[in-house]
Amino acid sequence: MSNIPIQTRASVRSGIASVDRYLEAGYATVPGMSSRFAAAVCGGLMRIQGGLGVTGPVVEIGPFEGRFFIALCHALAPGEVALGIDLFDWPNPEVIDRFEANCARHGVPPERRITWKADSRTMRPQELLDKLGGRRVRFFHIDGEHSRAALTKDLELATAVLAPEGVIVLDDMLHPGYPTLMVAVHEYLGRHPEMCVLAIIDRETVVAATKFVLCRTDWFKRYEERLLETYKDNVWPLGADFEPHWCLVLSLDTKLAEIV
Ligand SMILES: C[S@@+](CC[C@H](N)C(=O)[O-])C[C@H]1O[C@@H](n2cnc3c(N)ncnc32)[C@H](O)[C@@H]1O
């Protein structure tokens, strides 16, 4: 038997008090599909960015009712904003009202957020930058349409507006329901050798699925070092092989197979 305990998801924190309060008391009450574990790690990543002097707005494609978006908003530094881009038509048109109400209920005031009812597939990078007053994005979460073509488009949009030191987080990676998303990621990495996968955040359930974190290759070491230090209890020892690049795997379950 391995003597490495399986982490409980509640024990993983971002290190930002307001994010962790929301994760504790609010996160599960907002309908959504991202895991609490991923939200804690992503909040922690935004804290790490703060320590490295990385500033700028946050963007999410597909905030839905705001579950993950609100966590990111609580990690913003003074003066920063978060932009939520969604069709806001699923499962009904009132979803935008529920998004606004959830943000207000969980402590995200209107001046910290921009709600944009729009289709990311037809959005041009300059339109997005205009929404942000020209500021480049430090944290971009992509959780919109789950097709290979849409992810390809969303990845190019995110890359075009990203700060050089920014990160892109992709939801529902390695998901049994969306196998072609991985094809889009590999094709993207082939087109963008300046980008790499920084970390894989393992899933909690099939709904609260795995996320990939991407960054520029020249920022990889800085981020990796700090993630390793912050989430040392969640590092799955073997890491992930992107041939030839290796990256961190963060998981609630860090066991290896028992072979003897
Ligand atoms: C799986 S839900 C996102 C869940 C949410 N991010 C969370 O963590 O709880 C996907 C969202 O993407 C939105 N969406 C799908 N296609 C889109 C598009 N082309 N442009 C903008 N939003 C889109 C949907 O309306 C939906 O709200």
Side-chain angles (χ1 to χ4, degrees):
M1 279 277 289
S2 163
N3 58 4
I4 301 170
I6 294 176
Q7 304 289 304
T8 62
R9 49 192 208 126
S11 66
V12 181
R13 298 202 163 77
S14 71
I16 298 175
S18 62
V19 176
D20 292 332
R21 269 196 303 274
Y22 167 65
L23 293 180
E24 187 77 30
Y27 194 76
T29 70
V30 179
M33 297 83 172
S34 289
S35 76
R36 185 209 172 281
F37 175 55
V41 172
C42 288
L45 184 54
M46 285 185 63
R47 186 175 54 77
I48 287 167
Q49 287 187 316
L52 288 167
V54 178
T55 60
V58 163
V59 175
E60 181 173 15
I61 295 177
F64 184 53
E65 294 214 13
R67 172 188 275 200
F68 195 76
F69 183 83
I70 294 167
L72 298 179
C73 287
H74 281 294
L76 292 169
E80 292 178 341
V81 294
L83 169 64
I85 301 164
D86 203 299
L87 296 169
F88 289 120
D89 63 355
W90 176 83
N92 53 45
E94 292 76 37
V95 65
I96 192 166
D97 304 325
R98 294 193 294 277
F99 170 73
E100 297 289 6
N102 286 331
C103 287
R105 185 175 305 125
H106 294 286
V108 183
E111 64 273 16
R112 302 229 84 179
R113 64 181 201 263
I114 303 169
T115 306
W116 193 9
K117 183 173 163 56
D119 188 337
S120 67
R121 290 165 304 187
T122 53
M123 193 172 285
R124 285 178 292 109
Q126 192 55 50
E127 291 177 288
L128 199 159
L129 285 172
D130 289 347
K131 278 275 176 193
L132 298 171
R135 281 165 305 208
R136 293 200 157 263
V137 177
R138 70 149 147 152
F139 192 107
F140 201 124
H141 183 223
I142 299 179
D143 193 6
E145 186 190 311
H146 285 21
S147 69
R148 177 177 168 184
L151 178 59
T152 298
K153 180 75 187 32
D154 287 349
L155 269 165
E156 290 302 338
L157 178 67
T159 307
V161 301
L162 196 70
E165 63 278 18
V167 298
I168 301 174
V169 177
L170 309 177
D171 190 51
D172 284 328
M173 294 293 104
L174 306 168
H175 190 298
Y178 310 109
T180 65
L181 296 187
M182 280 308 297
V183 182
V185 173
H186 281 284
E187 288 171 346
Y188 168 83
L189 292 171
R191 283 195 308 279
H192 290 274
E194 80 282 11
M195 299 294 290
C196 65
V197 183
L198 165 64
I200 295 179
I201 306 172
D202 195 17
R203 75 180 192 180
E204 273 183 17
T205 67
V206 75
V207 175
T210 302
K211 292 189 196 292
F212 282 5
V213 183
L214 275 55
C215 71
R216 291 222 345 201
T217 49
D218 51 349
W219 273 79
F220 176 83
K221 274 286 158 215
R222 270 172 281 192
Y223 278 132
E224 185 194 48
E225 208 172 88
R226 285 156 182 87
L227 279 174
L228 269 169
E229 193 180 298
T230 308
Y231 294 107
K232 53 180 175 304
D233 294 339
N234 297 101
V235 175
W236 187 65
L238 298 186
D241 183 3
F242 274 91
E243 297 180 7
H245 175 79
W246 285 78
C247 81
L248 270 177
V249 176
L250 300 176
S251 180
L252 290 166
D253 178 358
T254 53
K255 287 194 309 293
L256 292 176
E258 292 172 33
I259 51 169
V260 281

mmCIF file of all heavy atoms in Angstrom, residues 183-201:
data_model
loop_
_atom_site.group_PDB
_atom_site.id
_atom_site.type_symbol
_atom_site.label_atom_id
_atom_site.label_comp_id
_atom_site.label_asym_id
_atom_site.label_seq_id
_atom_site.Cartn_x
_atom_site.Cartn_y
_atom_site.Cartn_z
ATOM 1 N N VAL A 183 -6.654 16.921 -30.272
ATOM 2 C CA VAL A 183 -6.073 17.114 -31.612
ATOM 3 C C VAL A 183 -5.846 18.612 -31.830
ATOM 4 O O VAL A 183 -4.789 19.033 -32.303
ATOM 5 C CB VAL A 183 -7.005 16.538 -32.708
ATOM 6 C CG1 VAL A 183 -6.377 16.700 -34.084
ATOM 7 C CG2 VAL A 183 -7.339 15.080 -32.420
ATOM 8 N N ALA A 184 -6.845 19.406 -31.443
ATOM 9 C CA ALA A 184 -6.711 20.862 -31.601
ATOM 10 C C ALA A 184 -5.523 21.385 -30.788
ATOM 11 O O ALA A 184 -4.770 22.245 -31.264
ATOM 12 C CB ALA A 184 -8.000 21.554 -31.157
ATOM 13 N N VAL A 185 -5.325 20.845 -29.585
ATOM 14 C CA VAL A 185 -4.210 21.316 -28.741
ATOM 15 C C VAL A 185 -2.871 20.948 -29.384
ATOM 16 O O VAL A 185 -1.962 21.779 -29.472
ATOM 17 C CB VAL A 185 -4.309 20.734 -27.306
ATOM 18 C CG1 VAL A 185 -3.068 21.094 -26.488
ATOM 19 C CG2 VAL A 185 -5.563 21.243 -26.605
ATOM 20 N N HIS A 186 -2.752 19.705 -29.864
ATOM 21 C CA HIS A 186 -1.482 19.293 -30.479
ATOM 22 C C HIS A 186 -1.187 20.089 -31.753
ATOM 23 O O HIS A 186 -0.044 20.482 -31.996
ATOM 24 C CB HIS A 186 -1.479 17.781 -30.742
ATOM 25 C CG HIS A 186 -1.190 17.007 -29.495
ATOM 26 N ND1 HIS A 186 0.068 16.893 -28.959
ATOM 27 C CD2 HIS A 186 -2.013 16.354 -28.646
ATOM 28 C CE1 HIS A 186 0.014 16.188 -27.840
ATOM 29 N NE2 HIS A 186 -1.239 15.855 -27.633
ATOM 30 N N GLU A 187 -2.221 20.347 -32.539
ATOM 31 C CA GLU A 187 -2.017 21.154 -33.753
ATOM 32 C C GLU A 187 -1.590 22.572 -33.377
ATOM 33 O O GLU A 187 -0.703 23.165 -34.004
ATOM 34 C CB GLU A 187 -3.310 21.196 -34.580
ATOM 35 C CG GLU A 187 -3.601 19.867 -35.267
ATOM 36 C CD GLU A 187 -4.985 19.802 -35.917
ATOM 37 O OE1 GLU A 187 -5.842 20.673 -35.634
ATOM 38 O OE2 GLU A 187 -5.220 18.871 -36.700
ATOM 39 N N TYR A 188 -2.224 23.106 -32.338
ATOM 40 C CA TYR A 188 -1.879 24.455 -31.855
ATOM 41 C C TYR A 188 -0.412 24.510 -31.405
ATOM 42 O O TYR A 188 0.333 25.431 -31.773
ATOM 43 C CB TYR A 188 -2.813 24.832 -30.697
ATOM 44 C CG TYR A 188 -2.393 26.060 -29.937
ATOM 45 C CD1 TYR A 188 -2.715 27.339 -30.389
ATOM 46 C CD2 TYR A 188 -1.654 25.954 -28.755
ATOM 47 C CE1 TYR A 188 -2.312 28.471 -29.691
ATOM 48 C CE2 TYR A 188 -1.257 27.074 -28.055
ATOM 49 C CZ TYR A 188 -1.586 28.330 -28.523
ATOM 50 O OH TYR A 188 -1.173 29.445 -27.829
ATOM 51 N N LEU A 189 0.013 23.504 -30.613
ATOM 52 C CA LEU A 189 1.403 23.498 -30.122
ATOM 53 C C LEU A 189 2.389 23.389 -31.287
ATOM 54 O O LEU A 189 3.474 23.957 -31.244
ATOM 55 C CB LEU A 189 1.612 22.357 -29.119
ATOM 56 C CG LEU A 189 0.859 22.514 -27.784
ATOM 57 C CD1 LEU A 189 0.954 21.229 -26.961
ATOM 58 C CD2 LEU A 189 1.392 23.705 -26.972
ATOM 59 N N GLY A 190 1.980 22.696 -32.344
ATOM 60 C CA GLY A 190 2.819 22.606 -33.544
ATOM 61 C C GLY A 190 2.940 23.951 -34.247
ATOM 62 O O GLY A 190 4.013 24.313 -34.741
ATOM 63 N N ARG A 191 1.848 24.712 -34.273
ATOM 64 C CA ARG A 191 1.869 26.039 -34.920
ATOM 65 C C ARG A 191 2.543 27.086 -34.053
ATOM 66 O O ARG A 191 2.964 28.129 -34.550
ATOM 67 C CB ARG A 191 0.415 26.524 -35.176
ATOM 68 C CG ARG A 191 -0.309 25.914 -36.321
ATOM 69 C CD ARG A 191 -1.562 26.724 -36.670
ATOM 70 N NE ARG A 191 -2.453 26.999 -35.562
ATOM 71 C CZ ARG A 191 -3.362 26.141 -35.064
ATOM 72 N NH1 ARG A 191 -3.477 24.947 -35.614
ATOM 73 N NH2 ARG A 191 -4.136 26.471 -34.054
ATOM 74 N N HIS A 192 2.590 26.840 -32.724
ATOM 75 C CA HIS A 192 3.094 27.847 -31.780
ATOM 76 C C HIS A 192 4.211 27.274 -30.918
ATOM 77 O O HIS A 192 4.007 27.003 -29.723
ATOM 78 C CB HIS A 192 1.961 28.352 -30.882
ATOM 79 C CG HIS A 192 0.964 29.186 -31.603
ATOM 80 N ND1 HIS A 192 1.118 30.549 -31.801
ATOM 81 C CD2 HIS A 192 -0.198 28.848 -32.198
ATOM 82 C CE1 HIS A 192 0.085 31.010 -32.480
ATOM 83 N NE2 HIS A 192 -0.726 30.009 -32.748
ATOM 84 N N PRO A 193 5.412 27.127 -31.496
ATOM 85 C CA PRO A 193 6.502 26.564 -30.691
ATOM 86 C C PRO A 193 6.909 27.472 -29.530
ATOM 87 O O PRO A 193 7.632 27.033 -28.621
ATOM 88 C CB PRO A 193 7.647 26.424 -31.707
ATOM 89 C CG PRO A 193 7.275 27.299 -32.858
ATOM 90 C CD PRO A 193 5.786 27.386 -32.883
ATOM 91 N N GLU A 194 6.436 28.713 -29.549
ATOM 92 C CA GLU A 194 6.746 29.622 -28.427
ATOM 93 C C GLU A 194 5.883 29.299 -27.202
ATOM 94 O O GLU A 194 6.140 29.820 -26.106
ATOM 95 C CB GLU A 194 6.551 31.091 -28.853
ATOM 96 C CG GLU A 194 5.121 31.624 -28.873
ATOM 97 C CD GLU A 194 4.272 31.209 -30.096
ATOM 98 O OE1 GLU A 194 4.714 30.331 -30.859
ATOM 99 O OE2 GLU A 194 3.164 31.763 -30.260
ATOM 100 N N MET A 195 4.858 28.418 -27.391
ATOM 101 C CA MET A 195 3.963 28.071 -26.283
ATOM 102 C C MET A 195 4.184 26.619 -25.862
ATOM 103 O O MET A 195 4.576 25.783 -26.673
ATOM 104 C CB MET A 195 2.499 28.240 -26.712
ATOM 105 C CG MET A 195 2.098 29.634 -27.119
ATOM 106 S SD MET A 195 2.143 30.852 -25.784
ATOM 107 C CE MET A 195 0.755 30.306 -24.768
ATOM 108 N N CYS A 196 3.898 26.333 -24.583
ATOM 109 C CA CYS A 196 4.008 24.947 -24.117
ATOM 110 C C CYS A 196 2.983 24.706 -23.016
ATOM 111 O O CYS A 196 2.371 25.657 -22.507
ATOM 112 C CB CYS A 196 5.418 24.658 -23.599
ATOM 113 S SG CYS A 196 5.846 25.604 -22.140
ATOM 114 N N VAL A 197 2.802 23.436 -22.677
ATOM 115 C CA VAL A 197 1.912 23.115 -21.563
ATOM 116 C C VAL A 197 2.723 23.215 -20.276
ATOM 117 O O VAL A 197 3.742 22.552 -20.111
ATOM 118 C CB VAL A 197 1.288 21.712 -21.719
ATOM 119 C CG1 VAL A 197 0.312 21.432 -20.571
ATOM 120 C CG2 VAL A 197 0.559 21.592 -23.058
ATOM 121 N N LEU A 198 2.266 24.073 -19.397
ATOM 122 C CA LEU A 198 2.936 24.295 -18.106
ATOM 123 C C LEU A 198 2.516 23.222 -17.105
ATOM 124 O O LEU A 198 3.342 22.693 -16.352
ATOM 125 C CB LEU A 198 2.535 25.690 -17.587
ATOM 126 C CG LEU A 198 2.800 26.012 -16.126
ATOM 127 C CD1 LEU A 198 4.290 26.012 -15.826
ATOM 128 C CD2 LEU A 198 2.183 27.366 -15.751
ATOM 129 N N ALA A 199 1.231 22.916 -17.069
ATOM 130 C CA ALA A 199 0.743 21.956 -16.075
ATOM 131 C C ALA A 199 -0.579 21.350 -16.525
ATOM 132 O O ALA A 199 -1.339 21.965 -17.276
ATOM 133 C CB ALA A 199 0.540 22.650 -14.728
ATOM 134 N N ILE A 200 -0.813 20.143 -16.032
ATOM 135 C CA ILE A 200 -2.117 19.497 -16.204
ATOM 136 C C ILE A 200 -2.753 19.437 -14.815
ATOM 137 O O ILE A 200 -2.123 18.966 -13.863
ATOM 138 C CB ILE A 200 -1.948 18.086 -16.793
ATOM 139 C CG1 ILE A 200 -1.366 18.184 -18.210
ATOM 140 C CG2 ILE A 200 -3.276 17.334 -16.786
ATOM 141 C CD1 ILE A 200 -1.132 16.857 -18.890
ATOM 142 N N ILE A 201 -3.973 19.952 -14.725
ATOM 143 C CA ILE A 201 -4.705 19.892 -13.446
ATOM 144 C C ILE A 201 -5.722 18.763 -13.587
ATOM 145 O O ILE A 201 -6.689 18.865 -14.354
ATOM 146 C CB ILE A 201 -5.406 21.231 -13.138
ATOM 147 C CG1 ILE A 201 -4.404 22.396 -13.201
ATOM 148 C CG2 ILE A 201 -6.083 21.168 -11.764
ATOM 149 C CD1 ILE A 201 -5.050 23.789 -13.097
#
